[in-house]
Amino acid sequence: MKLPRTKLYISLFELVKAYFKILFGIDLKKGDKVKKFENLLENYWSRKKCFTLSTCRLALYYVLKSLKLSKDDEVLLSPIQIPDFINAISNLGLKPVFVEIDKETKCLNISDLKKKISNKTKVVLATYLTGIVPDISQIKSVCEENNIFLIEDISQSYGSESYNKKAGSFGVAAIGSLSPAKIISSVGGGFILIDDVEKINFIEKAIKSELSLPSKKTLLRICSFQIKVSIATSKYIFSFFTYYIFFILSKLFKNKFNELHHPTFKYSHKDKTIYDNPLILRKLPNEIFFHFTDLQAKIAIKTFYQNINFGLKKRQLLAKVLYENLNDETKKFIPKTITKYNENCFWHFPIILENNSIDKFQDFLMNKGYDVVGYGLKLCSDESAFASYKSNLVSADKIHKNTLFLPLFDNLNESQTVKIANDINIFFSDKR
Ligand SMILES: Cc1ncc(COP(=O)(O)O)c(C=O)c1O
């Protein structure tokens, strides 16, 4: 069995269909289907209003803008982010302040969060990495005690719950990404969930006057990127071709192999797609200031029904099978929060290794047929592009450096998952 590092939740047929629809300008408007998708999310998260737009980074930008903050007000956040989150914050004259990460929940460490609060702190952005959720009410209480707005980034946690309440229904607003490979996804996209009428009116007005419809070129680039990924990771192409290319790269050209997941960027970089994510301090590119369209909404609705109604339960079941079949030696490296199977949506299943063993483990899994990787998101607190916000966060650095995501896809069955667990166990047992 050969398994790729990621899975797209949109079929190749659907992507090719979307490519031609974009080419011929079909459904490239903000109409009924966008409304239907927005209503779907409003109902699911019990929120008054959902706004869809181009990306999650733009969603963050407009939510922050609606809070009417002052220059140099501080936004406390996890350091594992996409670079344009830092740019969205700094473009608005606000200051990102990075908070240490808790190893168990992969979310904000509560004691460091309390320590970092100053009289300038106005926002806490809680990101629920890999779909694992902390006790969100604890973060919410800290925010309430200090008069701070809580924004939740639920891009990786669609369907996750904290004590029977959906992640994304705690803060003043929740934001999400519909970018390639997310549980709810499309040919790009993002959204805001929010209740406060004044903020709703502000965002409505701003979006209306500042966003336009996307260019065909922008959508075609996202779509063709996904078509390439879909082909490269499809069952037979991956098993007989892509896997062997990756295998050879990983053995003979390790730097090139690592660059697939962590590309390097020049300062003069020009984005090939809006998802390039260059590590650059910059103004958010004009290309992302666009509306979500009916074409994208139709696909997003499909992924919602497939992956929230069906896929969620299947991933939770497979996560249980995977964890319960790991031996005790392996379980030491898995956060215990994983065992709250009904609370986590299992976008990914993380394992946090000890220093210096990650390359060996990744190599071992590649030999077994599993192409696994760690975070695509960057440790922004440690990047020279963001030197003015630099922070030395020991735990976040360790988690970022030492995490890999074990194969867990809802198209696998239970016996395949048991085999994955048994293969992993060999690495951690004396048998090796
Ligand atoms: C947690 C999280 N937040 C935000 C983003 C960025 O979303 P977008 O590319 O839609 O701006 C991602 C994308 O991978 C993500 O994983």
Side-chain angles (χ1 to χ4, degrees), residues 8 19 99 124 201 358 375 415 426 428:
L8 291 184
Y19 190 91
V99 176
V124 166
N201 292 339
I358 189 158
Y375 285 108
S415 58
I426 299 171
F428 293 93

Side-chain angles (χ1 to χ4, degrees), residues 78-97:
S78 149
I80 301 179
Q81 299 287 351
I82 60 157
D84 274 346
F85 261 40
I86 314 308
N87 290 322
I89 296 167
S90 73
N91 283 189
L92 292 166
L94 308 171
K95 187 180 167 202
V97 175

